[in-house]
Short mmCIF file of all heavy atoms in Angstrom, two decimals:
data_model
loop_
_atom_site.label_atom_id
_atom_site.label_comp_id
_atom_site.label_asym_id
_atom_site.label_seq_id
_atom_site.Cartn_x
_atom_site.Cartn_y
_atom_site.Cartn_z
N THR A 1 93.99 111.68 119.91
CA THR A 1 93.03 111.68 118.78
C THR A 1 93.82 111.82 117.49
O THR A 1 93.83 112.89 116.87
CB THR A 1 92.02 112.84 118.94
OG1 THR A 1 92.75 114.08 119.09
CG2 THR A 1 91.12 112.64 120.14
N PRO A 2 94.49 110.76 117.05
CA PRO A 2 95.42 110.86 115.92
C PRO A 2 94.78 111.19 114.59
O PRO A 2 95.48 111.60 113.66
CB PRO A 2 96.08 109.47 115.89
CG PRO A 2 95.10 108.56 116.57
CD PRO A 2 94.43 109.40 117.62
N ARG A 3 93.46 111.01 114.45
CA ARG A 3 92.80 111.31 113.17
C ARG A 3 92.18 112.70 113.17
O ARG A 3 91.42 113.04 112.25
CB ARG A 3 91.71 110.26 112.88
CG ARG A 3 92.20 108.83 112.95
CD ARG A 3 93.20 108.52 111.86
NE ARG A 3 92.63 108.63 110.53
CZ ARG A 3 93.31 108.48 109.41
NH1 ARG A 3 94.61 108.23 109.47
NH2 ARG A 3 92.73 108.60 108.23
N THR A 4 92.49 113.49 114.18
CA THR A 4 91.93 114.83 114.30
C THR A 4 93.04 115.87 114.24
O THR A 4 94.06 115.72 114.90
CB THR A 4 91.15 114.99 115.62
OG1 THR A 4 90.06 114.06 115.65
CG2 THR A 4 90.62 116.41 115.78
N ALA A 5 92.80 116.90 113.43
CA ALA A 5 93.73 118.04 113.37
C ALA A 5 93.04 119.27 113.96
O ALA A 5 91.89 119.56 113.62
CB ALA A 5 94.16 118.31 111.94
N TRP A 6 93.74 119.95 114.87
CA TRP A 6 93.24 121.19 115.43
C TRP A 6 93.90 122.36 114.71
O TRP A 6 95.13 122.41 114.60
CB TRP A 6 93.56 121.28 116.92
CG TRP A 6 92.77 120.36 117.80
CD1 TRP A 6 93.08 119.08 118.16
CD2 TRP A 6 91.52 120.66 118.44
NE1 TRP A 6 92.11 118.56 118.97
CE2 TRP A 6 91.14 119.51 119.17
CE3 TRP A 6 90.70 121.78 118.46
CZ2 TRP A 6 89.97 119.47 119.92
CZ3 TRP A 6 89.53 121.73 119.21
CH2 TRP A 6 89.17 120.60 119.93
N LEU A 7 93.09 123.31 114.25
CA LEU A 7 93.62 124.49 113.55
C LEU A 7 93.27 125.76 114.32
O LEU A 7 92.19 125.86 114.93
CB LEU A 7 93.04 124.58 112.14
CG LEU A 7 93.20 123.38 111.20
CD1 LEU A 7 92.67 123.73 109.82
CD2 LEU A 7 94.64 122.91 111.14
N VAL A 8 94.18 126.72 114.28
CA VAL A 8 93.96 128.04 114.87
C VAL A 8 94.37 129.08 113.84
O VAL A 8 95.45 128.98 113.24
CB VAL A 8 94.78 128.23 116.16
CG1 VAL A 8 94.61 129.65 116.71
CG2 VAL A 8 94.41 127.20 117.22
N SER A 9 93.51 130.06 113.60
CA SER A 9 93.82 131.12 112.65
C SER A 9 93.05 132.37 113.06
O SER A 9 91.81 132.39 113.00
CB SER A 9 93.42 130.70 111.22
OG SER A 9 93.80 131.67 110.28
N GLU A 10 93.77 133.39 113.53
CA GLU A 10 93.13 134.59 114.06
C GLU A 10 93.75 135.85 113.49
O GLU A 10 94.98 135.92 113.31
CB GLU A 10 93.27 134.62 115.59
CG GLU A 10 92.65 133.45 116.32
CD GLU A 10 91.15 133.59 116.51
OE1 GLU A 10 90.57 134.55 115.95
OE2 GLU A 10 90.56 132.75 117.21
N GLU A 11 92.93 136.83 113.24
CA GLU A 11 93.44 138.16 112.88
C GLU A 11 93.94 138.86 114.13
O GLU A 11 93.42 138.65 115.24
CB GLU A 11 92.34 139.00 112.24
CG GLU A 11 91.93 138.55 110.86
CD GLU A 11 90.97 139.54 110.21
OE1 GLU A 11 90.60 140.54 110.89
OE2 GLU A 11 90.60 139.33 109.05
N TRP A 12 94.98 139.68 113.94
CA TRP A 12 95.45 140.49 115.06
C TRP A 12 94.37 141.50 115.44
O TRP A 12 93.80 142.16 114.56
CB TRP A 12 96.70 141.26 114.69
CG TRP A 12 97.96 140.48 114.48
CD1 TRP A 12 98.70 140.45 113.35
CD2 TRP A 12 98.65 139.66 115.43
NE1 TRP A 12 99.81 139.65 113.51
CE2 TRP A 12 99.80 139.16 114.79
CE3 TRP A 12 98.40 139.30 116.76
CZ2 TRP A 12 100.70 138.32 115.44
CZ3 TRP A 12 99.30 138.46 117.40
CH2 TRP A 12 100.43 137.98 116.75
N PRO A 13 94.08 141.65 116.73
CA PRO A 13 93.24 142.79 117.13
C PRO A 13 93.92 144.10 116.70
O PRO A 13 95.15 144.16 116.57
CB PRO A 13 93.19 142.65 118.66
CG PRO A 13 93.41 141.19 118.91
CD PRO A 13 94.38 140.76 117.85
N GLU A 14 93.15 145.13 116.50
CA GLU A 14 93.68 146.36 115.92
C GLU A 14 94.80 146.96 116.74
O GLU A 14 95.79 147.46 116.19
CB GLU A 14 92.55 147.38 115.74
CG GLU A 14 92.96 148.62 114.94
CD GLU A 14 93.53 148.27 113.56
OE1 GLU A 14 93.05 147.31 112.92
OE2 GLU A 14 94.49 148.97 113.13
N ASP A 15 94.70 146.92 118.07
CA ASP A 15 95.76 147.54 118.89
C ASP A 15 97.07 146.76 118.76
O ASP A 15 98.16 147.36 118.75
CB ASP A 15 95.33 147.62 120.35
CG ASP A 15 95.01 146.26 120.96
OD1 ASP A 15 94.58 145.35 120.21
OD2 ASP A 15 95.17 146.10 122.18
N ILE A 16 96.99 145.46 118.62
CA ILE A 16 98.20 144.66 118.46
C ILE A 16 98.80 144.89 117.07
O ILE A 16 100.02 144.97 116.90
CB ILE A 16 97.90 143.17 118.70
CG1 ILE A 16 97.40 142.98 120.14
CG2 ILE A 16 99.13 142.31 118.43
CD1 ILE A 16 96.95 141.58 120.46
N ARG A 17 97.92 145.03 116.06
CA ARG A 17 98.40 145.30 114.71
C ARG A 17 99.17 146.63 114.67
O ARG A 17 100.22 146.74 114.05
CB ARG A 17 97.23 145.34 113.74
CG ARG A 17 97.64 145.25 112.26
CD ARG A 17 96.47 145.60 111.36
NE ARG A 17 95.25 144.92 111.73
CZ ARG A 17 94.88 143.72 111.29
NH1 ARG A 17 95.68 143.06 110.47
NH2 ARG A 17 93.75 143.17 111.66
N ARG A 18 98.63 147.62 115.38
CA ARG A 18 99.32 148.92 115.43
C ARG A 18 100.66 148.81 116.16
O ARG A 18 101.65 149.43 115.77
CB ARG A 18 98.43 149.96 116.13
CG ARG A 18 97.23 150.41 115.31
CD ARG A 18 96.64 151.70 115.88
NE ARG A 18 96.29 151.55 117.30
CZ ARG A 18 95.09 151.18 117.73
NH1 ARG A 18 94.13 150.90 116.85
NH2 ARG A 18 94.84 151.09 119.02
N ALA A 19 100.68 148.00 117.21
CA ALA A 19 101.92 147.83 117.97
C ALA A 19 102.99 147.14 117.12
O ALA A 19 104.18 147.48 117.19
CB ALA A 19 101.65 147.03 119.24
N LEU A 20 102.60 146.16 116.32
CA LEU A 20 103.55 145.50 115.42
C LEU A 20 104.09 146.48 114.39
O LEU A 20 105.29 146.49 114.09
CB LEU A 20 102.87 144.32 114.72
CG LEU A 20 102.65 143.06 115.56
CD1 LEU A 20 101.66 142.13 114.89
CD2 LEU A 20 103.98 142.35 115.80
N ALA A 21 103.21 147.31 113.87
CA ALA A 21 103.63 148.30 112.88
C ALA A 21 104.58 149.32 113.51
O ALA A 21 105.57 149.74 112.89
CB ALA A 21 102.41 148.99 112.28
N ALA A 22 104.29 149.73 114.76
CA ALA A 22 105.13 150.71 115.43
C ALA A 22 106.54 150.15 115.66
O ALA A 22 107.55 150.84 115.47
CB ALA A 22 104.50 151.12 116.76
N ALA A 23 106.60 148.87 116.08
CA ALA A 23 107.92 148.26 116.30
C ALA A 23 108.68 148.12 115.00
O ALA A 23 109.89 148.36 114.94
CB ALA A 23 107.74 146.90 116.97
N ALA A 24 107.97 147.74 113.93
CA ALA A 24 108.63 147.59 112.63
C ALA A 24 109.16 148.92 112.12
O ALA A 24 110.19 148.97 111.42
CB ALA A 24 107.65 146.99 111.62
#
């Protein structure tokens, strides 16, 4: 489907956001 673009854009669930912050 060359004339179609698929987009994905999601917020991190809260537990994953906390895990990213903990690793950082």
Side-chain angles (χ1 to χ4, degrees):
T1 54
R3 307 294 296 176
T4 299
W6 289 89
L7 305 185
V8 176
S9 184
E10 300 279 7
E11 290 188 357
W12 291 121
E14 189 55 36
D15 59 331
I16 298 175
R17 196 193 312 272
R18 288 196 304 269
L20 284 165

